[in-house]
Amino acid sequence: MKLSGFNTPATLTPPPMTEAWRFSNIAGQLPAELRAATATKTNADVVLSGGLAVVNQLPAGIEVAAAKSESTSDFWATLPTLGGRVHLKVTHSPERPLRVRIARDTTSADEATLAQLLIEIAPAMKLTLEQEITGSSAGLTATQTTLKLATDAHVDHAIALLEGAEALHVAGFHSELAERAQLSQTFVVVGGKMTRLQVSAHMNGAGAHASLASITALQGKSQVDLNSSLRHNAANTTAKQLAKNLLDGESKAIFTGRVYIARDAQLVAAEQMNRNLLLSKKAHAIGQPQLEIFADDVKCSHGSTTGQIEEDAQFYLLSRGIPAERARALLTKAFIAEVIHNAPDSLRGFLGGRV
Amino acid sequence: MLEVKNLSAQVEGSEILKGINLTVKAGEVHAIMGPNGSGKSTLAKVIAGHPAYEVTGGSVSFDVNRKPVDLLELDPDVRAKEGVFLGFQYPVEIPGVTNVDFLREAFNEVCAHQGLDKLDDAQFKSLVREKLKLLDMDERFLERDVNAGFSGGEKKKNEILQMAILNPRLALLDETDSGLDIDALRIVSKGVNAIKSRFNAIVLVTHYQRLLDLIVPDYVHVLYKGRIIKSGDKSLALELEKKGYDWLIAEAEEKH
């Protein structure tokens, strides 16, 4: 595949399909030539669009560092590094959220936004991050967002990913947590022909905590494949994950949740839940938890439910005079609201406005 | 007000109600008692229109504007809007919908159907506040999600709060007393008694005499294997408290 219009012109060979990508063979659908999409201008603090990165302003306490890339042979890890790159350091807790916008404003299948964002958070500092990733009717967005949390650092991160009907999307979110660092990530995902989310959190320091929640709302023939990996590399680390999918039309959601607990990582608590609400007969959900536990003193739970709106809940609303259509709408809204309600206070407004 | 004639119903192919006859007039309190599995809850749910139950015979008529209407022909939400209320034995948790939104939604639907003016936000809040006081409930209840994480007692109080706000003409209270401690039982009963009037009727499904000490019934019916085997006044409940159901069951089985 030939890439043009990006910082580094390159020719890359899309990888053959592997087991991990069997539901979402995005590499197999890429065009022979991919051009940088025309950059979108917005007033967000950081804008990544087409092949460009623009820093408009930054809240006090955050500074720009020289972008660097670690060389990798992985196709999907390399692709974002060819586009706009921003490396930030949070040296003091900013008083307001950092707003990052990744945009692709194109209608053509051979146009793309490639972007890489790296944020390092200094010890004991707190960052609230609002990240909006928007696409349009067609094209590709491939991004990588990396967060490195030092000891006692705290990040509240909200991601709203809104894609167009024919768009392809691969978004990586990788976090590394030192001792007692705390990460909360809430995802709202809407639409897209095929979206692959690769979410990983490595809890490398004792006492680190990661909390991940996502709500995906799909209709038509949209498909979202959430592939997550939570690695407990140290003792006393805790993680909580809630992955919800609301599926209408002929849409499809895949959730693969890997939980890895290293041999020495005792007293780990890991909780994982996957819930799917099917609004139509042709909607489809696949859930596959993967637990790799090598320590013996751990608390680990996981579960998956798939169903339609419960008859008892529906009847409860009917029995109070609420008509069937409205009862269904309320229960659907409630399914989404659980994720929003559980998000940190400061991010609820941002997330609620984007579902 | 309510006329149940020879009503039979089944769920998943098994027949639960086998010919129920029951007449309830405005201003009356009826208690439905009986051993577990006799069909008490089913009767309440069938009248309210639960979709899991299939009516296989008989009729249920309910007075609307002083004229009997075939209740079984109405959708469950329309039954509610006409003034039928079911207090659930196991109130459903709805995380993601706040109590106040739920109450407002239901209240507005019922008002619109009955041709009453909508209340503005301040008027509605003051109505709700008044009812909360009646049930000794904290205002913070309103911002919590419907029944989510509520204790058993809180859930039952919440049912009575909904009843107080919707002001039904026929209230079917399905084991509202189960899972309540003495204090909560007293508060719930006080709420029900305050709502009770000569214009409405209450049907209590219960296992225990202790509720009937607080909400005194005009009639007591004993349900067994889908039939009412005995009706009487409040003294019947006292007799059951002393002697249990066995003597009645033996009597009924002799007749058959």
Side-chain angles (χ1 to χ4, degrees):
Chain A
M1 182 177 64
K2 224 177 109 191
L3 293 133
S4 57
F6 297 98
N7 284 336
T8 335
T11 302
L12 292 178
T13 310
M17 197 182 75
T18 56
E19 175 68 15
W21 288 80
R22 70 188 170 109
F23 295 111
S24 312
N25 185 18
I26 295 179
Q29 300 178 55
L30 295 173
E33 192 177 341
L34 208 55
R35 289 178 285 127
T38 310
T40 308
K41 289 194 178 95
T42 76
N43 60 0
D45 297 330
V46 176
V47 182
L48 295 151
S49 184
L52 292 180
V54 176
V55 177
N56 285 320
Q57 67 273 321
L58 289 173
I62 305 180
E63 51 195 52
V64 178
K68 55 178 181 218
S69 50
E70 291 150 18
S71 78
T72 164
S73 58
D74 180 69
F75 175 80
W76 290 111
T78 305
L79 209 50
T81 64
L82 305 177
R85 290 155 66 193
V86 171
H87 181 181
L88 301 174
K89 286 188 173 174
V90 178
T91 55
H92 295 92
S93 303
E95 282 185 5
R96 67 165 178 87
L98 172 67
R99 300 187 176 94
V100 175
R101 172 89 187 270
I102 298 176
R104 193 191 71 253
D105 199 5
T106 168
T107 51
S108 166
D110 60 1
E111 293 189 330
T113 282
L114 305 177
Q116 188 195 30
L117 175 68
L118 168 63
I119 306 178
E120 288 177 83
I121 300 94
M125 295 305 144
K126 182 178 176 179
L127 173 71
T128 301
L129 175 58
E130 296 179 356
Q131 187 170 6
E132 184 167 17
I133 312 179
T134 53
S136 54
S137 55
L140 169 78
T141 294
T143 63
Q144 177 66 43
T145 301
T146 304
L147 303 173
K148 291 188 177 175
L149 288 79
T151 306
D152 292 309
H154 183 148
V155 174
D156 287 338
H157 186 188
I159 301 101
L161 197 164
L162 316 166
E163 257 306 355
E166 291 303 316
L168 299 175
H169 199 121
V170 178
F173 297 89
H174 175 65
S175 309
E176 291 170 17
L177 288 78
E179 286 82 9
R180 296 180 305 277
Q182 282 192 50
L183 171 71
S184 153
Q185 260 176 343
T186 310
F187 295 83
V188 166
V189 181
V190 178
K193 178 186 179 189
M194 212 174 258
T195 297
R196 167 79 167 208
L197 293 166
Q198 310 224 83
V199 182
S200 62
H202 291 189
M203 287 155 274
N204 299 325
H209 173 76
S211 174
L212 267 57
S214 61
I215 174 73
T216 296
L218 302 178
Q219 51 188 3
K221 291 189 173 176
S222 289
Q223 178 177 321
V224 168
D225 182 346
L226 168 58
N227 192 289
S228 81
S229 172
L230 295 168
R231 290 182 76 91
H232 296 263
N233 293 325
N236 287 300
T237 51
T238 54
K240 216 175 163 172
Q241 182 173 29
L242 173 66
K244 296 185 92 171
N245 296 301
L246 175 66
L247 306 171
D248 203 351
E250 296 173 43
S251 65
K252 187 169 169 183
I254 301 108
F255 170 66
T256 305
R258 178 174 303 125
V259 174
Y260 168 88
I261 303 178
R263 186 185 299 272
D264 302 330
Q266 302 295 356
L267 300 171
V268 159
E271 235 179 85
Q272 183 187 75
M273 190 43 129
N274 170 219
R275 291 192 193 284
N276 303 300
L277 180 59
L278 308 180
L279 296 177
S280 85
K281 287 205 172 90
K282 287 187 172 169
H284 191 47
I286 298 166
Q288 30 187 31
Q290 295 177 353
L291 307 178
E292 296 169 29
I293 303 172
F294 299 100
D296 44 28
D297 191 6
V298 300
K299 232 162 68 184
C300 198
S301 71
H302 70 94
S304 181
T305 62
T306 298
Q308 289 145 0
I309 284 178
E310 277 174 43
E311 192 175 60
D312 278 341
Q314 168 101 358
F315 177 63
Y316 193 58
L317 299 186
L318 293 176
S319 77
R320 299 299 180 253
I322 298 167
E325 275 290 287
R326 183 69 193 143
R328 193 177 147 91
L330 274 172
L331 291 171
T332 303
K333 206 179 112 197
F335 184 79
I336 296 171
E338 189 191 1
V339 170
I340 312 291
H341 280 197
N342 289 334
D345 292 356
S346 57
L347 290 169
R348 242 173 264 158
F350 169 79
L351 290 164
R354 281 163 180 81
V355 185
Chain B
M1 168 189 282
L2 179 76
E3 185 88 50
V4 178
K5 275 189 190 155
N6 206 23
L7 181 67
S8 53
Q10 62 176 28
V11 62
E12 287 164 3
S14 69
E15 199 169 34
I16 312 283
L17 301 182
K18 300 170 184 168
I20 299 278
N21 291 292
L22 179 69
T23 303
V24 178
K25 296 197 180 77
E28 292 177 352
V29 175
H30 290 242
I32 311 267
M33 305 185 77
N36 282 333
S38 56
K40 305 186 297 293
S41 288
T42 299
L43 176 61
K45 285 180 186 165
V46 167
I47 295 172
H50 195 295
Y53 299 86
E54 190 197 338
V55 173
T56 49
S59 66
V60 179
S61 90
F62 182 66
D63 289 352
V64 174
N65 299 325
R66 298 201 188 92
K67 286 193 190 99
V69 165
D70 181 358
L71 203 58
L72 301 177
E73 284 295 307
L74 305 180
D75 286 335
D77 61 306
V78 180
R79 297 185 202 190
K81 284 183 268 213
E82 292 294 0
V84 175
F85 180 88
L86 173 64
F88 282 54
Q89 181 180 5
Y90 303 110
V92 179
E93 297 193 11
I94 314 176
V97 177
T98 62
N99 243 332
V100 68
D101 286 346
F102 178 55
L103 288 169
R104 188 185 288 114
E105 190 98 22
F107 182 78
N108 286 343
E109 288 289 347
V110 172
C111 285
H113 184 83
Q114 296 180 356
L116 302 169
D117 286 338
K118 263 192 191 176
L119 296 185
D120 66 29
D121 201 51
Q123 287 169 317
F124 180 71
K125 281 264 170 73
S126 87
L127 169 77
V128 173
R129 237 172 259 137
E130 176 198 323
K131 305 299 182 192
L132 281 170
K133 218 176 279 168
L134 176 70
L135 289 159
D136 237 355
M137 287 168 85
D138 197 285
E139 249 183 76
R140 275 174 299 186
F141 249 101
L142 298 176
E143 293 308 323
R144 289 173 68 184
D145 287 348
V146 180
N147 295 326
F150 282 26
S151 70
E154 287 174 329
K155 283 181 181 170
K156 296 301 174 75
K157 276 191 192 177
N158 207 20
E159 293 295 288
I160 304 305
L161 176 69
Q162 291 166 27
M163 172 182 163
I165 285 165
L166 298 180
N167 195 21
R169 287 186 298 123
L170 174 67
L172 308 155
L173 302 181
D174 188 5
E175 298 201 20
T176 298
D177 53 336
S178 66
L180 292 185
D181 60 30
I182 297 291
D183 290 333
L185 183 67
R186 202 163 286 144
I187 292 163
V188 162
S189 306
K190 193 182 85 180
V192 173
N193 285 326
I195 300 161
K196 199 175 92 181
S197 79
R198 65 192 170 91
F199 302 109
N200 59 30
I202 293 165
V203 176
L204 303 166
V205 170
T206 183
H207 274 290
Y208 302 108
Q209 168 61 30
R210 62 176 196 166
L211 177 71
L212 305 180
D213 286 337
L214 299 166
I215 309 171
V216 181
D218 301 295
Y219 300 94
V220 174
H221 311 277
V222 178
L223 206 58
Y224 178 67
K225 287 189 177 170
R227 288 191 187 88
I228 289 177
I229 56 168
K230 181 95 178 171
S231 293
D233 60 15
K234 63 181 176 186
S235 64
L236 176 59
L238 290 168
E239 205 175 348
L240 291 170
E241 174 86 350
K242 270 190 228 130
K243 294 160 64 180
Y245 292 113
D246 288 352
W247 62 283
L248 271 181
I249 292 167
E251 224 172 68
E253 281 176 350
E254 233 165 73
K255 263 188 244 169
H256 268 273

